Structure formats: C-alpha cells, structure tokens
Amino acid sequence: MGEGGGDSRALRLSGRGTPVRKLRGWLLRLWRLFSRNLSDQEFAEEIETHLQMQIDDNLRSGMNPERARREAILKLGAMELTMQAYRDRTTLPCRNAMAGPPLYDSAATQESGFRRHRHTGAHAWDRRYGSDFRLCGCGADQASTVSRTIPAGWHLRKHSPGTEIPFVVSGLLRFQEAQPGLHLVRCL
Amino acid sequence: MGENDVWQGTLALMVLKTLESMGPLHGYGIARRIEQTSGDRLIVQYGTLYPALLRLEQEGYIASEWGVSDNNRRARFYKLTRAGRRQVEKESQRWEKAAAILARFVSPGEEPL
C-alpha cells in the first residue's frame, strides 16, 4: 500500500504545500511591485547595517578604520549583483523585460521597439553589473543603428566600469556605425 | 565555485538550521554563524544569502521584522515560522538520506550479503 494508506487523495495531499507556497511567493512578488521603492530602501538599509557590522568586527579584530572599511566592502562583494539577485526575487520576471526597453535597433537583427534584443554581449554585461545599469546601446562588435529618444536619467557609458562619459545625453541619438565600448545605460 | 563556497542548494537548510538553534538573527549574524559552525571552512556569499532569505520568507518558512541589534544598530531580524520548523525536519531527513547514498559511492564499503 502506498503512502496515504490507500486514500485516493494521498498523492495530491503529499505535495499540497508546494503550489500554495509558490502562489504565496508570487503574490508577495506582485505586492512588492507596488511597494518597490520601500523594498529597495529597506534592502539598502539592511545591507548598510550588514556593512557596518562587518566593519565593527574588523575594528575589534585590530584593523585600523580605513582597512576595516575596505575589507568589509571587499567581503560584501558586488553590490549590484546582490541587488539584482534580490530584485529578481521581488519582482515578476516579465517586469524586468518590460522595465528596460532596449532602445536598440540592430541592422543585423532588425529588432526594434520594446523587445529585449538578442545581442549576447548585452546580457553578459547586464548580468555582470546588474540591471541598475541596463545596457541598451549598440554592440561593440556589430554594425548597429540606434535611433531612439534617450529618456532622462539615461547615460552613455563606456563598456568598462568607472569610465563614464561626463555628460548626460538626452534627445535623439543616432549611431550609424558600431561604436566599440559605447553603451546606453540607465543610472539610479 | 571555490572550495570554501557554500554548496548550492544547501544554504537554505543552513539558514533554517541556524535560526532553529540560535533563534531570531539578522543577516550578518546568520552569515557569521554559518561560517563559524563550519569552522570557517565555508564562506557565505552575501550575494546569495539575501536572495535566499527573501525566498525563504516568500515561501513562509521564515518571517522578518526590524529590531535593534546588540550593538544598537537597526537591523532586520529573521525568525523561523512553524512551517519553517517542519521544513527543517523534512529537509534534514532528505539531506541525511542523500548524504548516506552519496557516501556509498564515495567510500564503497562491503556489499550487504
């Protein structure tokens, strides 16, 4: 006799927690869509607390304040990745796709409008730095045409971090050729 | 993955077990406790800890609330729920079973007669 003592509901009952918990998780994610700022703010505060606690521990272990902070930041690691992983859990997957219109029109793929583009480099970069810096520009290795209005708050940025172009572009931007290392990103 | 990284899929159980034995803890406390329990042979990547905490909370195994830490810092404390206690028991059994099976491959003993 199987689990459940012959009860015809035994199989269904044995796994009943999972769908309910999944539904609960999805409802919470849906709810967080509407309280996104609060959620982000709380998470930032939580991480800040974490950092401070690590610094306190480092100071107790005899490091000087400067080193204590540096070591703590190093241990905390890539914040953008952490934030992104956290957001992936607090939002619906389709929202991320909708949130960042690609502003991208590749001559090679002829993709345009509000679909996420297929340029694999973009996804790798996106994964590396998180969607706080969503890449939307033309690829470094293919001829592309970008002709979209750049919304306020979006920047042109070099591919490598820390080399931001010191001006904010708005209005219509047009590339006729690939511009290696140049990408359109949004900064928080 | 480095040798000292927490193995994928085991972090959730470590978190639940830590909260079961220590009571409510903040994220930093959970991470430190896991590292200490492993004799500092494991390193908890915070980039995976917080999403894992969030997932466990979404699934109802843990709950969180803001409080004040020992050193007077405002922190979010996590605690095990009733469903979480059941899950610890279930996952511990599952893990023990899996470890026992794997042990038979890694260190094969005498076959039962």
Side-chain angles (χ1 to χ4, degrees):
Chain A
M1 189 178 288
E3 195 179 327
D7 188 332
S8 61
R9 295 168 301 169
L11 276 178
R12 224 179 303 162
L13 285 172
S14 67
R16 70 180 169 178
T18 311
V20 174
R21 294 203 180 283
K22 274 188 182 163
L23 180 64
R24 179 196 157 97
W26 277 92
L27 287 175
L28 280 172
R29 287 167 90 152
L30 194 61
W31 180 80
R32 280 180 192 256
L33 271 180
F34 300 102
S35 57
R36 177 72 178 268
N37 287 340
L38 182 67
S39 174
D40 282 359
Q41 204 178 323
E42 283 192 339
F43 183 59
E45 194 178 342
E46 189 171 14
I47 292 292
E48 178 60 26
T49 304
H50 188 118
L51 184 67
Q52 288 302 329
M53 288 176 172
Q54 181 71 64
I55 292 172
D56 290 346
D57 269 2
N58 290 350
L59 287 171
R60 271 193 294 272
S61 71
M63 291 183 198
N64 65 44
E66 193 188 331
R67 189 173 166 217
R69 183 165 182 81
R70 195 176 62 237
E71 294 287 327
I73 290 170
L74 281 176
K75 188 162 185 194
L76 196 60
M79 270 302 301
E80 298 307 333
L81 278 179
T82 307
M83 290 289 280
Q84 179 56 30
Y86 190 86
R87 280 188 187 141
D88 284 348
R89 292 291 322 173
T90 55
T91 55
L92 303 173
C94 56
R95 187 190 179 281
N96 288 337
M98 290 187 295
L103 304 172
Y104 176 82
D105 187 0
S106 160
T109 61
Q110 288 300 311
E111 279 194 307
S112 60
F114 291 90
R115 286 175 58 202
R116 194 179 179 92
H117 58 79
R118 286 201 300 262
H119 179 43
T120 52
H123 296 293
W125 196 86
D126 215 13
R127 273 199 302 275
R128 188 164 169 203
Y129 299 110
S131 68
D132 296 341
F133 306 100
R134 185 173 294 280
L135 184 149
C136 295
C138 62
D141 55 0
Q142 67 184 106
S144 311
T145 303
V146 174
S147 58
R148 286 282 185 278
T149 301
I150 300 173
W154 292 71
H155 295 208
L156 263 181
R157 186 181 277 261
K158 288 261 190 188
H159 191 103
S160 53
T163 55
E164 185 177 345
I165 295 172
F167 60 85
V168 177
V169 182
S170 60
L172 194 70
L173 174 75
R174 195 176 282 276
F175 289 123
Q176 290 302 331
E177 295 293 333
Q179 302 204 1
L182 276 185
H183 296 281
L184 186 63
V185 297
R186 183 177 61 183
C187 298
L188 284 182
Chain B
M1 188 173 78
E3 192 185 334
N4 295 334
D5 291 345
V6 172
W7 306 305
Q8 198 167 5
T10 59
L11 180 60
L13 180 57
M14 289 181 195
V15 168
L16 293 176
K17 282 298 265 186
T18 300
L19 291 176
E20 186 188 44
S21 62
M22 300 294 292
L25 271 180
H26 43 70
Y28 182 73
I30 294 170
R32 285 302 297 136
R33 182 65 189 170
I34 290 174
E35 288 170 354
Q36 282 167 0
T37 305
S38 74
D40 284 325
R41 275 171 290 190
L42 291 178
I43 295 168
V44 176
Q45 300 291 337
Y46 305 129
T48 54
L49 175 67
Y50 286 100
L53 287 171
L54 181 66
R55 186 173 65 84
L56 288 169
E57 190 175 8
Q58 285 174 343
E59 289 173 349
Y61 298 133
I62 60 175
S64 72
E65 60 183 358
W66 286 89
V68 178
S69 70
D70 292 342
N71 49 7
N72 234 12
R73 291 198 187 281
R74 202 171 108 82
R76 196 204 290 261
F77 284 79
Y78 296 89
K79 64 178 180 187
L80 212 55
T81 61
R82 220 158 50 171
R85 287 186 196 288
R86 284 197 299 269
Q87 185 69 3
V88 172
E89 206 174 314
K90 207 162 85 178
E91 281 296 306
S92 299
Q93 284 172 4
R94 203 169 67 91
W95 178 249
E96 277 168 14
K97 207 189 273 183
I101 292 169
L102 198 61
R104 296 171 76 103
F105 286 91
V106 176
S107 314
E110 285 183 20
E111 291 292 321
L113 294 172

